[in-house]
Amino acid sequence: MHTIDTDEELQRMADLHLPGYSMAKRRSEEEEEQAPVVEASPFLCASTRRIVLISPYPNLLHELIRDLSADCYDLMVFHRVDDFVLHNLQADLYLLDGGAANVLGSDPGFRTFIADPAKRKRSIAIKSQRGPAAYGGKAARQAAEAWGLTSAAPHEMLDRVGQWLLREPAEAGDGDAGLLGFKNLVIDTKRMTVFRSGDRIDLTKTEYELLLHFIQAEGAVLTREHMMEDIWGAAFFGNSNVVDVHVKSLRRKLGDSAVSPSYIETVRGVGYRLAD
């Protein structure tokens, strides 16, 4: 008995109205339903290396981003160079979008970044790719030369990254020491500066210390008396209203609201805590 097991044979029987078509089609569908579904097993990366990609147009590099992530690299993407973050961020390799050289060149943070020999040593420029998705062109090559970097097209970058990391040891360091964060706030404790969504906020020394106390408390309630002793010292003879005055000023600079707080919440009769 001849077994009908190809789509072409089934289609031929249907076109010619040959007998047995319905039965053969039903048998084929049943076998397909019963066939085990083979799924790709997920795997864990045994080790990773951290890569930072800097591009104002990461949507144009989505295939490179996908491939690097799939190849067990810890990838961080920056649309612009927030130098207060990259100042302490430890990365094994930086990929700079040469196709967006004009945009990056106008970023003060990028000028600080590219002037750092240690960062430039661990950087590769991404030159424009060919085809309809290409951008940057000659400007990308000129940018790589101006930055003093080697360059590769996006479709070449995966191999280039692998070769580079084989030659270079992992970046040593103490991690992201000196940076504290809460929601979209970042505190650089080494430089005593505060940023909200990448924009610097100018705080007085007392306001800075108040915010630092809240973040270090990790949501615990801080009484007015505790804050007065820690910030103003035991010898301070003012009343606890001074804490309320400075918290109000800190909230105003953070763009926060006492009624619907995003950062600092009032605990009635006690003090303050970080808002959930």
Side-chain angles (χ1 to χ4, degrees), residues 221 224 258-259 265-273:
V221 177
R224 292 174 175 82
V259 178
E265 178 182 338
T266 302
V267 181
R268 290 189 178 277
V270 182
Y272 301 92
R273 64 184 293 272

Side-chain angles (χ1 to χ4, degrees), residues 212-239:
L212 188 60
H213 269 66
F214 287 130
I215 291 179
Q216 289 177 332
E218 298 181 340
V221 177
L222 298 180
T223 65
R224 292 174 175 82
E225 292 74 19
H226 176 83
M227 286 185 280
M228 286 185 65
E229 184 175 342
D230 276 8
I231 297 175
W232 282 272
F236 182 73
F237 295 103
N239 58 47

Side-chain angles (χ1 to χ4, degrees), residues 7-52:
D7 292 339
E8 290 80 1
E9 287 183 89
L10 287 173
Q11 187 61 50
R12 182 176 62 82
M13 291 179 68
D15 293 341
L16 298 176
H17 302 286
L18 295 178
Y21 164 71
S22 297
M23 182 179 296
K25 183 176 186 297
R26 185 167 60 251
R27 185 170 62 247
S28 176
E29 291 173 347
E30 290 174 353
E31 290 173 353
E32 184 175 337
E33 290 176 358
Q34 295 172 1
V37 178
V38 179
E39 296 181 354
S41 299
F43 66 93
L44 296 175
C45 298
S47 62
T48 62
R49 302 287 291 274
R50 179 182 288 179
I51 296 176
V52 169

